Amino acid sequence: PVAAHAFAPCLQLDMWALGVCLYLWIFGELPFKGNAPFVVYDAIRKQQLHMPTQLRISNQLRDLLTK
């Protein structure tokens, strides 16, 4: 989202990026996908976060990933 909106670095964006990294480490895939950067940016802005169901995660972890 930093590049998509030209935001200055801040704690909120760092926490968002940390959430993306956690999602990748847990599920082995990125939370938003697309075949071009602008498609990914659009998905970030418009899509709800979807968590794969094949891996059971705790409510606490689910809460952390969705904040």
Side-chain angles (χ1 to χ4, degrees):
V2 176
H5 297 289
F7 288 128
C10 66
L11 181 62
Q12 183 179 6
L13 292 175
D14 290 343
M15 292 297 104
W16 185 87
L18 177 60
V20 170
C21 290
L22 285 172
Y23 188 100
L24 178 60
W25 293 329
I26 293 163
F27 297 113
E29 61 185 38
L30 292 170
F32 301 100
K33 299 169 188 64
N35 56 1
F38 68 91
V39 176
V40 176
Y41 299 150
D42 195 50
I44 290 168
R45 289 193 323 266
K46 296 179 180 176
Q47 291 180 2
Q48 293 288 331
L49 179 64
H50 167 63
M51 290 192 218
T53 56
Q54 67 268 23
L55 179 65
R56 291 186 50 163
I57 62 172
S58 69
N59 289 336
Q60 292 89 352
L61 182 55
R62 184 176 306 278
D63 184 54
L64 176 65
L65 290 171
T66 58
K67 287 193 176 205

